Amino acid sequence: MQLEFVSFSSSAKFCYLAEGQADVYYRAAKIKLWDVAAGFVIASAVGLKIIDHQNHDLLQIIMQKNYVQNLKKNQFTIEPFIICDSSKNLVF
């Protein structure tokens, strides 16, 4: 398996994923929710899996009332995440 790591904007990464030109977007650092919210919608719409580092559905976590209430305390940052095509059976 060949891996290629690239560094450019999150919005471009979401586009590559949605078009099927990339397999994984791994975000190791925290990021502001508004920087990735639209990308999460796009990724979800094309059937990509958005998970945290414990393999939990990050969208389900974000939608929980207590998570939303804590966003302000955390300066609107969300946990690191992984976005991938669940049909490719990638292991993390």
Side-chain angles (χ1 to χ4, degrees):
M1 172 188 289
Q2 181 182 359
L3 297 176
E4 179 183 352
F5 293 92
V6 294
S7 179
F8 47 86
S9 73
S10 289
S11 60
K13 292 174 187 174
F14 284 112
C15 292
Y16 280 113
L17 283 166
E19 292 176 341
Q21 295 181 18
D23 295 320
V24 176
Y25 174 7
Y26 174 75
R27 176 76 188 190
K30 291 185 176 184
I31 192 169
K32 302 286 187 190
L33 179 58
W34 52 72
D35 291 328
V36 294
F40 280 5
V41 171
I42 292 167
S44 179
V46 297
L48 298 174
K49 182 167 66 169
I50 305 166
I51 56 174
D52 66 10
H53 286 170
Q54 289 77 40
N55 202 31
H56 299 120
D57 184 332
L58 187 56
L59 290 181
Q60 292 294 325
I61 293 169
I62 289 172
M63 297 309 292
Q64 294 174 4
K65 186 176 182 177
N66 62 338
Y67 188 90
V68 174
Q69 291 172 338
N70 287 323
L71 272 176
K72 185 176 180 183
K73 294 178 192 174
N74 297 321
Q75 299 176 337
F76 298 95
T77 58
I78 62 170
E79 295 299 314
F81 59 84
I82 302 165
I83 300 177
C84 61
D85 182 344
S86 59
S87 69
K88 297 198 178 186
N89 297 320
L90 301 170
V91 178
F92 301 101

